[in-house]
Amino acid sequence: MGDIDLEQQDPLSQDQDGQQLALFIYYAVWKPQKQWVTLEEGIWNSRLTYKPELRQEAWRFFSYMFVHAGVEHILGNLLMQLLLGIPLELVHKGFEVGMVYMAGVIAGSLASSIFDPLSALVGASGGVYALIGGYFMNAVVNFREMIPLLGVFRILVIIIIVGTDFGFAFYRRFMSDDAGMKVSFVAHFGGIVAGMTIGYVFFSDYNKKLLKDPRFWICIVGFIIFILFAVLFNIFLSPAP
């Protein structure tokens, strides 16, 4: 799997966890709400939350990853970022892991703006699911090179984690009685698709040069086309105000 140079690894996962946790505590403690438990006014009024009626503020397509919908949301995201991010950064460059993560964040918000255009977005699930998607595809493709039991275990753990998280996301979107705007779950799908394409290419090419891999350019072109379509959709076709 290539040489590991610990001195050259960027502590990207730890930095992202710290920023997200700091903002969560800020909105939980210093804002007049009960954010430790649920979503209330402080989060909806945040300039970081993605809100469809404010989608012209383009930074919200990125910044939503810093705010979360409750304790189980922030803890789940932090745990997954540490469990996936640290091992990935020990093998790959921190820049590559960060690029895959941000691709998931962008794909998540843009997919939500298209397929669930009236819902808000908070949380880092798009980025986390991009890491999960890339990790999963590597486990599947390289299954024969692993110890069989270990390969099955890795795939089952990912499936269980994803299934549990999707369950919470569906509940918050369709069944929760909390007042206020509903939080979209579509970012999960956008993130995992980004991970299974761009993430897979990045994480499977640790011993090659990406620029010489045609899969890299196919994924990049496809991602750019998706972004252009999403931008045009949000300008001309979105049903959101």
Side-chain angles (χ1 to χ4, degrees), residues 60-105:
R60 293 179 183 266
F61 285 90
F62 300 87
S63 62
Y64 75 94
M65 68 178 179
F66 293 113
V67 288
H68 289 76
V71 175
E72 84 288 344
H73 195 198
I74 182 75
L75 290 181
N77 275 267
L78 295 180
L79 179 62
M80 290 307 301
Q81 286 174 181
L82 290 173
L83 290 179
L84 292 170
I86 292 177
L88 286 171
E89 287 185 18
L90 290 176
V91 178
H92 309 279
K93 296 178 181 178
F95 173 77
E96 294 179 353
V97 177
M99 289 296 290
V100 173
Y101 185 91
M102 289 307 301
V105 171

Coordinates of all heavy atoms in Angstrom, one line a residue, residues 60-105:
R60 N -23.3 28.8 1.6 CA -24.1 27.8 2.4 C -24.0 26.4 1.8 O -24.3 25.5 2.6 CB -25.5 28.3 2.4 CG -25.7 29.6 3.2 CD -27.2 30.0 3.2 NE -27.4 31.3 3.9 CZ -27.8 31.4 5.2 NH1 -28.0 30.3 5.9 NH2 -27.9 32.6 5.7
F61 N -23.7 26.3 0.6 CA -23.5 24.9 0.0 C -22.3 24.2 0.6 O -22.2 23.0 0.4 CB -23.4 25.0 -1.6 CG -24.7 25.3 -2.3 CD1 -25.0 26.6 -2.5 CD2 -25.5 24.3 -2.7 CE1 -26.2 26.9 -3.2 CE2 -26.7 24.6 -3.4 CZ -27.0 25.9 -3.6
F62 N -21.4 25.0 1.2 CA -20.3 24.4 1.9 C -20.4 24.4 3.4 O -20.2 23.4 4.1 CB -19.0 25.1 1.5 CG -18.6 25.2 0.1 CD1 -19.1 26.1 -0.7 CD2 -17.8 24.2 -0.5 CE1 -18.8 26.2 -2.1 CE2 -17.4 24.3 -1.8 CZ -18.0 25.2 -2.6
S63 N -20.9 25.5 3.9 CA -20.8 25.8 5.4 C -21.8 25.0 6.2 O -21.6 24.9 7.4 CB -21.0 27.3 5.6 OG -22.3 27.7 5.2
Y64 N -22.8 24.4 5.6 CA -23.7 23.6 6.3 C -23.1 22.5 7.1 O -23.6 21.9 8.1 CB -24.8 23.1 5.4 CG -24.4 21.9 4.5 CD1 -24.7 20.6 5.0 CD2 -23.8 22.1 3.3 CE1 -24.3 19.5 4.2 CE2 -23.4 21.1 2.5 CZ -23.7 19.8 2.9 OH -23.3 18.7 2.1
M65 N -21.9 22.1 6.6 CA -21.2 20.9 7.3 C -20.7 21.2 8.7 O -20.4 20.3 9.4 CB -20.0 20.5 6.4 CG -18.8 21.4 6.4 SD -17.5 20.8 5.4 CE -16.3 22.2 5.5
F66 N -20.7 22.5 9.1 CA -20.2 22.9 10.4 C -21.3 22.9 11.5 O -20.9 23.0 12.6 CB -19.5 24.3 10.3 CG -18.3 24.3 9.5 CD1 -18.2 25.0 8.3 CD2 -17.1 23.6 9.9 CE1 -17.0 25.0 7.5 CE2 -16.0 23.6 9.1 CZ -15.9 24.3 8.0
V67 N -22.5 22.8 11.1 CA -23.6 22.9 12.1 C -24.4 21.6 12.1 O -24.5 20.9 11.0 CB -24.5 24.1 11.9 CG1 -23.9 25.4 12.2 CG2 -25.0 24.1 10.4
H68 N -24.9 21.2 13.2 CA -25.5 19.8 13.4 C -26.9 19.9 14.0 O -27.2 20.8 14.8 CB -24.6 18.9 14.1 CG -23.4 18.5 13.3 ND1 -22.3 19.4 13.1 CD2 -23.1 17.4 12.6 CE1 -21.4 18.8 12.3 NE2 -21.8 17.6 12.0
A69 N -27.6 18.8 13.9 CA -29.0 18.7 14.3 C -29.2 18.1 15.7 O -30.3 17.7 16.0 CB -29.8 17.9 13.2
G70 N -28.2 18.0 16.5 CA -28.4 17.5 17.8 C -27.2 16.7 18.2 O -26.2 16.5 17.5
V71 N -27.2 16.2 19.5 CA -26.1 15.5 20.0 C -25.7 14.2 19.2 O -24.6 14.0 18.9 CB -26.3 15.1 21.5 CG1 -25.2 14.3 22.0 CG2 -26.5 16.4 22.3
E72 N -26.7 13.4 18.9 CA -26.4 12.1 18.2 C -25.9 12.4 16.8 O -25.1 11.7 16.3 CB -27.7 11.2 18.2 CG -28.7 11.5 17.0 CD -29.5 12.8 17.2 OE1 -29.5 13.3 18.4 OE2 -30.1 13.3 16.3
H73 N -26.3 13.6 16.2 CA -25.8 13.9 14.9 C -24.4 14.3 14.9 O -23.6 13.8 14.1 CB -26.7 15.1 14.4 CG -26.6 15.3 12.9 ND1 -26.9 16.5 12.3 CD2 -26.1 14.5 11.9 CE1 -26.7 16.4 11.0 NE2 -26.2 15.3 10.7
I74 N -24.0 15.2 15.8 CA -22.6 15.7 15.9 C -21.7 14.5 16.3 O -20.6 14.3 15.8 CB -22.5 16.9 16.9 CG1 -21.0 17.4 16.9 CG2 -22.9 16.5 18.3 CD1 -20.6 18.1 15.7
L75 N -22.1 13.7 17.3 CA -21.3 12.6 17.8 C -21.1 11.6 16.7 O -19.9 11.0 16.5 CB -21.9 12.0 19.0 CG -21.8 12.8 20.3 CD1 -22.5 12.0 21.5 CD2 -20.4 13.3 20.7
G76 N -22.1 11.3 16.0 CA -22.0 10.3 14.9 C -21.0 10.8 13.8 O -20.2 10.0 13.3
N77 N -21.2 12.0 13.4 CA -20.3 12.6 12.4 C -18.8 12.6 12.9 O -17.9 12.3 12.1 CB -20.7 14.0 12.0 CG -21.8 13.9 10.9 OD1 -21.5 14.0 9.7 ND2 -23.0 13.8 11.3
L78 N -18.6 13.1 14.1 CA -17.2 13.1 14.6 C -16.6 11.8 14.7 O -15.4 11.6 14.3 CB -17.2 13.8 16.0 CG -17.6 15.3 16.1 CD1 -17.6 15.8 17.5 CD2 -16.8 16.1 15.2
L79 N -17.4 10.8 15.2 CA -16.8 9.4 15.3 C -16.5 8.9 13.9 O -15.4 8.3 13.8 CB -17.9 8.5 16.0 CG -17.5 7.1 16.2 CD1 -16.3 7.0 17.1 CD2 -18.7 6.3 16.7
M80 N -17.3 9.0 13.0 CA -17.1 8.5 11.6 C -15.9 9.2 11.0 O -15.1 8.5 10.3 CB -18.3 8.6 10.8 CG -19.4 7.7 11.2 SD -18.9 5.9 11.3 CE -18.3 5.6 9.7
Q81 N -15.8 10.5 11.2 CA -14.6 11.2 10.6 C -13.3 10.7 11.2 O -12.3 10.6 10.5 CB -14.8 12.7 10.8 CG -15.9 13.3 9.9 CD -16.1 14.8 10.2 OE1 -17.0 15.4 9.5 NE2 -15.5 15.4 11.1
L82 N -13.3 10.4 12.5 CA -12.1 10.0 13.1 C -11.8 8.5 12.7 O -10.6 8.2 12.4 CB -12.2 10.1 14.6 CG -12.2 11.5 15.2 CD1 -12.5 11.4 16.7 CD2 -10.9 12.1 15.0
L83 N -12.8 7.7 12.7 CA -12.6 6.3 12.3 C -12.2 6.1 10.9 O -11.4 5.1 10.6 CB -13.9 5.4 12.6 CG -14.3 5.3 14.1 CD1 -15.6 4.5 14.2 CD2 -13.2 4.5 14.8
L84 N -12.7 6.9 10.0 CA -12.3 6.8 8.6 C -11.2 7.7 8.2 O -10.3 7.3 7.4 CB -13.6 7.1 7.7 CG -14.7 6.1 7.8 CD1 -15.9 6.7 7.1 CD2 -14.3 4.8 7.2
G85 N -11.2 9.0 8.7 CA -10.3 10.0 8.2 C -8.8 9.6 8.6 O -7.9 9.8 7.8
I86 N -8.6 9.2 9.9 CA -7.3 9.0 10.4 C -6.6 7.8 9.6 O -5.5 8.0 9.1 CB -7.3 8.8 11.9 CG1 -7.6 10.1 12.6 CG2 -5.9 8.2 12.3 CD1 -7.7 9.9 14.1
P87 N -7.3 6.6 9.5 CA -6.6 5.6 8.7 C -6.4 6.0 7.3 O -5.3 5.6 6.7 CB -7.7 4.4 8.8 CG -8.4 4.7 10.0 CD -8.5 6.2 10.1
L88 N -7.3 6.7 6.7 CA -7.1 7.1 5.3 C -5.9 8.0 5.1 O -5.2 8.0 4.2 CB -8.4 7.8 4.7 CG -9.6 6.8 4.4 CD1 -10.8 7.6 4.1 CD2 -9.2 5.9 3.2
E89 N -5.8 9.0 6.1 CA -4.7 9.9 6.0 C -3.3 9.2 6.3 O -2.3 9.8 6.0 CB -4.9 11.1 7.0 CG -6.0 12.0 6.5 CD -6.2 13.2 7.4 OE1 -5.2 13.5 8.1 OE2 -7.2 13.9 7.3
L90 N -3.3 8.1 7.0 CA -2.1 7.4 7.2 C -1.6 6.7 5.9 O -0.4 6.4 5.8 CB -2.3 6.3 8.3 CG -2.5 6.8 9.7 CD1 -2.8 5.7 10.7 CD2 -1.3 7.6 10.2
V91 N -2.5 6.5 5.0 CA -2.1 5.9 3.7 C -2.0 6.9 2.6 O -1.1 6.8 1.7 CB -3.1 4.8 3.3 CG1 -2.8 4.1 2.0 CG2 -3.1 3.7 4.4
H92 N -3.0 7.8 2.6 CA -3.1 8.8 1.5 C -2.7 10.2 2.0 O -2.6 10.4 3.2 CB -4.5 8.8 0.9 CG -5.0 7.5 0.5 ND1 -4.7 6.9 -0.6 CD2 -5.8 6.6 1.2 CE1 -5.3 5.7 -0.7 NE2 -6.0 5.5 0.4
K93 N -2.4 11.1 1.1 CA -2.1 12.4 1.5 C -3.4 13.1 2.1 O -4.5 12.8 1.6 CB -1.6 13.2 0.3 CG -0.3 12.7 -0.3 CD 0.1 13.5 -1.5 CE 1.4 13.0 -2.1 NZ 1.8 13.8 -3.3
G94 N -3.2 14.0 3.1 CA -4.3 14.7 3.7 C -5.1 15.5 2.6 O -6.3 15.6 2.7
F95 N -4.3 16.0 1.6 CA -5.0 16.8 0.6 C -6.0 15.9 -0.2 O -7.1 16.4 -0.5 CB -3.9 17.4 -0.4 CG -4.5 18.0 -1.6 CD1 -5.0 19.3 -1.5 CD2 -4.5 17.4 -2.8 CE1 -5.6 19.9 -2.6 CE2 -5.0 18.0 -3.9 CZ -5.6 19.3 -3.8
E96 N -5.6 14.7 -0.5 CA -6.5 13.8 -1.3 C -7.7 13.5 -0.5 O -8.8 13.5 -1.0 CB -5.7 12.6 -1.7 CG -4.6 12.8 -2.7 CD -3.9 11.5 -3.0 OE1 -4.1 10.5 -2.4 OE2 -3.0 11.6 -3.9
V97 N -7.5 13.2 0.8 CA -8.7 12.8 1.7 C -9.6 14.1 1.8 O -10.8 13.9 1.7 CB -8.2 12.4 3.1 CG1 -9.4 12.1 4.0 CG2 -7.4 11.1 3.0
G98 N -9.0 15.3 1.9 CA -9.8 16.5 2.0 C -10.6 16.8 0.7 O -11.7 17.2 0.8
M99 N -10.0 16.5 -0.4 CA -10.6 16.7 -1.7 C -11.9 15.8 -1.8 O -12.9 16.2 -2.3 CB -9.7 16.5 -2.9 CG -8.6 17.5 -3.0 SD -9.3 19.2 -3.4 CE -9.9 18.9 -5.1
V100 N -11.7 14.5 -1.4 CA -12.8 13.6 -1.5 C -13.9 14.0 -0.5 O -15.1 14.0 -0.9 CB -12.4 12.2 -1.2 CG1 -13.5 11.2 -1.0 CG2 -11.4 11.7 -2.2
Y101 N -13.5 14.5 0.7 CA -14.5 14.9 1.7 C -15.3 16.1 1.1 O -16.5 16.2 1.2 CB -13.7 15.3 2.9 CG -14.6 15.7 4.1 CD1 -15.0 14.7 5.0 CD2 -15.0 17.0 4.3 CE1 -15.8 15.0 6.1 CE2 -15.8 17.3 5.4 CZ -16.1 16.4 6.3 OH -16.9 16.7 7.4
M102 N -14.6 17.1 0.6 CA -15.3 18.3 0.1 C -16.1 18.0 -1.1 O -17.2 18.6 -1.3 CB -14.2 19.4 -0.2 CG -13.6 20.0 1.0 SD -14.8 20.6 2.2 CE -15.7 21.8 1.2
A103 N -15.7 17.0 -2.0 CA -16.5 16.6 -3.1 C -17.8 16.1 -2.6 O -18.9 16.3 -3.2 CB -15.8 15.6 -3.9
G104 N -17.8 15.3 -1.5 CA -19.0 14.8 -0.9 C -19.9 15.9 -0.3 O -21.1 15.8 -0.4
V105 N -19.3 16.9 0.3 CA -20.0 18.0 0.9 C -20.8 18.8 -0.2 O -22.0 19.0 -0.1 CB -19.1 19.0 1.6 CG1 -19.8 20.2 2.0 CG2 -18.6 18.3 2.9

